[in-house]
Amino acid sequence: MNSATIRPLIAQGVIGLSVCLGGYASVVMPLREKLGAAQAALAQAEVQAQEAHAVESSMASVMERLSQAQAQAEAITEAGGLARSQEALYASLSARAADFGLRIDEFTPVDAQGGGPVADRAAGASGDVVLRCRFGATGSYGELARLLRAISEEHGFSAVRSVRLWPESGSTGREVHAEVETEHYAVDPTPRIAPGAGEGHP
Amino acid sequence: MQRRCVLVEICPSQMRAALVVRGRVVASRSVGHWLPDWKESWPKGLVSLAPALRTMLSELGADGLPATIFYAAPHGAAGVYSCPASAGARGAESAARLALADASEFAPEANPTMIFRLAVDHGPRAEGAEGPQIHTLAATDSEAGVRAVTELGTECGLDVRAVAPADTVALASTVRAVLAASKGPGAAVALRIGSWGTVLAAAAGGRLRFVRQISVGTASLVSALTGEVRSTDGAPAPRALDRERAGSLLARSGIPARGSVFDAESGLGADAVLPLMQPVLQRWIVEVRQSLRFGLTEPERAGAHMVPMGPGSQVPNLARLIADQLGLTVAEPDSTPAGPPLGGGSIEDHAAGILGDAELLVPSERAEGRRLATIRRGMWIGIGAACALGAVDGVSAWFELAGARAQQERVKASLADAARVVDIGRSLGDREAAVRASRQKLVGWMSPRARWDALLAVLGRETPASIRLSRVEMRFEGRQPECSIRGHAAASPGSDATASLKSYMEGLSASPIVQKCTLGSARRMQDGDSGRTEFEVVITLVGLPADLDQAMAPLAENRR
């Protein structure tokens, strides 16, 4: 067979093959892709169904854990309440100091770096709060010790960062003046919903 | 085979066309001619036959029909070649090709060639005979000759599908006849006497022993009769016989007996023509005898019978004369009326026996066209199959997709009922994670913590009266809780200030909340009569982890 006869034959073959491939690519392959996507979605839905079944079968324990988590979240929120309100903090500290016979001389919220007043330094979109404040108090060692303990144990998430003591001038020798710096923390324990999360859920 | 087709036969003395419908000849036409320079003028001389062929075809109404043309091929070669069956079909074909190459004047591989397995021996093996053999009919002709014959048919309005040398038909029909005759007792010898040649074949026990072509035919006798005829007394006859008259006399009177009249009309006697016929008859007999002597064993020759075939078998006394000379018995002669060189076997036999099985000769262009057509057909079939497979795949995917979507809908419907449950499960996970993260964050912020109140208690308990503290600073150095205390130790009777300070520091160090206690500075001072030592001591406390539960406990109690 010479090239003059074989060339049109090859051309016809190429055209026929192209038609086959083109038809397959334009008709069958999209169907196959859709099928793959549908099968993936089906698999995901089946996983969700299994999850739902598992949750449903242990609903009692789930509800109990949920209420525990809820209670913990509420406790965390409540324990951080003083960090969210300077007034409440001042009132609480004053009341507790008064309980121990101490006198709060001054109360100043301060910056974390020791600058001017600040409400929080960690607050942001997260809703977390760190409140640092300084106050002066005058009283005996024992009274001051009880106040420091109370701050650590009874004022939620609070920590005494520093204490400076010196004898109160003109006192009998038992009284001291203390300059106390404390930090009070609050966090938001509610779950963050990521953008787009929950979409597509039944 | 085509439903309607035409068989055309061309030889130097005659041309015949037959219309075949469903394998049977329904009409035929023939025209006689005499072309003595057939070989020399080949293939250009074929052009002169076109008008006569066109007329015959027109009379048959065969214009445009598929046609096969058999022709006397002056330069072609045809033969039946035997090969041991152990060589296999391909081996037999190769052997036939080699033998054909030896027999032909040109290279068969470069010219149209036909190879056709004619017969395979099946009968019992005779003593001393060879094993079973494959008998292959092979023929070839020059490209120019095949093309000229094809073009002749095409010019006359036929759709020429194939052509073949007429010898192939003679060989095939002779072999089949002798094999059929050899199934009975004794060997069979088929003698196909044609116009231009004779085919001799012998078989025994269903096995073909040999096939041979002899270049003597009835045309040789006719030519001999056209020679100078002398009367019995040796004087020349009044006139010589022309070819047409000689042929008709031969067909009517055959080989005359001595003393009989050969042509009553002219008064020509047997004694005048027998000398003319004698050399031809002698050659015939010698050729056949020699072939039988070498091809058959003595016992086979003794019981052999002859099957006369072909147009020459219709010549009175011819076959019997040859058989008598060879000592063979004669079977019933072929009953087919005398016809063209193909005759003897009917043209139906040709159609059924040759056309139905063999790939005949075709010009190279046409062969190439057929190959291309085959390739193209295969290609389109392949493309069609690919399209069909693609369609099946597509339909299958479509059904699977529909099924998957339906199942997805069902699962979704069931999930809708369980959505609340799923949400609760997710909510639980999210809440627990958030609480965990919050606690970790708080622990990070609040750790380490220092028990400053406990340190104050320790200071209150351990500080003796001789030591007075002037300043206490509790703070974190990095993440380490430290307390720096300044004061002075007054010397007391019986002990100096240094000892008091040392004792004081040892007391502080003994406390479990104190990690270490180091002296930052000490300076002895004179204060009136008594001395005192001013000092600075740094107390490093043990850092404690944050206790969130403890931090939240009072609030929980308050809630309760």
Side-chain angles (χ1 to χ4, degrees), chain B residues 361-436:
Chain B
L361 304 183
V362 289
S364 57
E365 295 92 347
R366 188 163 295 215
E368 185 172 319
R370 285 184 184 177
R371 277 198 297 275
L372 279 175
T374 304
I375 293 171
R376 192 176 288 117
R377 187 165 57 244
M379 190 177 73
W380 285 114
I381 288 173
I383 289 171
C387 287
L389 286 175
V392 168
D393 193 24
V395 170
S396 162
W398 188 83
F399 276 112
E400 283 181 40
L401 180 61
R405 280 178 174 164
Q407 197 174 349
Q408 198 177 351
E409 289 302 318
R410 282 197 295 276
V411 173
K412 272 186 179 175
S414 66
L415 274 180
D417 300 335
R420 190 176 152 273
V421 177
V422 172
D423 284 347
I424 289 171
R426 291 229 168 88
S427 174
L428 170 64
D430 292 345
R431 281 177 189 275
E432 286 181 337
V435 167
R436 218 166 22 245

Side-chain angles (χ1 to χ4, degrees), chain A residues 51-52 54-67 69-70 191 201-202, chain B residues 417-432:
Chain A
E51 279 179 11
V55 171
E56 200 168 12
S57 62
S58 58
M59 184 53 82
S61 69
V62 166
M63 294 305 288
E64 188 180 338
R65 283 172 58 194
L66 191 61
S67 69
Q70 182 71 25
H201 286 204
Chain B
D417 300 335
R420 190 176 152 273
V421 177
V422 172
D423 284 347
I424 289 171
R426 291 229 168 88
S427 174
L428 170 64
D430 292 345
R431 281 177 189 275
E432 286 181 337

Side-chain angles (χ1 to χ4, degrees), chain A residues 37-195:
Chain A
Q39 284 173 337
L42 179 61
Q44 190 181 358
E46 284 174 344
V47 169
Q48 288 174 359
Q50 287 173 357
E51 279 179 11
H53 181 70
V55 171
E56 200 168 12
S57 62
S58 58
M59 184 53 82
S61 69
V62 166
M63 294 305 288
E64 188 180 338
R65 283 172 58 194
L66 191 61
S67 69
Q68 285 175 358
Q70 182 71 25
Q72 284 226 352
E74 286 173 2
I76 288 171
T77 304
E78 196 171 350
L82 292 178
R84 298 180 193 282
S85 169
Q86 297 170 20
E87 297 79 8
L89 177 62
Y90 178 64
S92 177
L93 285 174
S94 298
R96 210 69 184 112
D99 288 344
F100 299 135
L102 286 165
R103 186 181 72 248
I104 299 292
D105 296 331
E106 57 177 333
F107 177 86
T108 311
V110 295
D111 190 354
Q113 282 74 34
V118 67
D120 63 64
R121 64 176 160 91
S126 63
D128 298 337
V129 175
V130 177
L131 174 64
R132 177 173 288 192
C133 66
R134 185 186 300 150
F135 64 88
T138 305
S140 68
Y141 268 97
E143 291 161 354
L144 194 59
R146 284 200 293 275
L147 178 62
L148 293 180
R149 181 168 187 170
I151 289 171
S152 296
E153 296 182 353
E154 299 172 13
H155 281 72
F157 303 125
S158 300
V160 178
R161 305 309 298 180
S162 67
V163 180
R164 286 192 294 172
L165 294 174
W166 62 89
E168 177 71 359
S169 57
S171 69
T172 57
R174 299 296 299 171
E175 281 202 335
V176 292
H177 183 78
E179 194 174 287
V180 182
E181 203 170 275
T182 58
E183 278 186 351
H184 308 271
Y185 311 101
V187 293
D188 182 6
T190 55
R192 302 279 181 277
I193 305 299

Side-chain angles (χ1 to χ4, degrees), chain B residues 28-102:
Chain B
S28 66
R29 296 286 186 276
S30 66
V31 59
H33 51 240
W34 174 237
L35 302 171
D37 56 347
W38 178 259
K39 185 170 183 178
E40 290 75 19
S41 63
W42 181 266
K44 294 177 183 171
L46 286 173
V47 178
S48 64
L49 301 177
L53 178 58
R54 203 173 287 125
T55 303
M56 285 194 299
L57 294 173
S58 177
E59 289 173 4
L60 290 171
D63 288 339
L65 289 181
T68 302
I69 301 176
F70 298 99
Y71 64 101
H75 301 290
V80 175
Y81 305 104
S82 301
C83 176
S86 57
R90 295 184 68 84
E93 185 178 324
S94 299
R97 282 187 190 280
L98 286 173
L100 189 66
D102 284 343

Side-chain angles (χ1 to χ4, degrees), chain B residues 140-173:
Chain B
T140 185
D141 197 3
S142 64
E143 175 72 28
V146 171
R147 189 183 297 124
V149 174
T150 305
E151 284 173 358
L152 171 66
T154 305
E155 282 175 14
C156 294
L158 292 174
D159 175 17
V160 180
R161 299 293 173 87
V163 301
D167 289 346
T168 58
V169 180
L171 287 165
S173 60

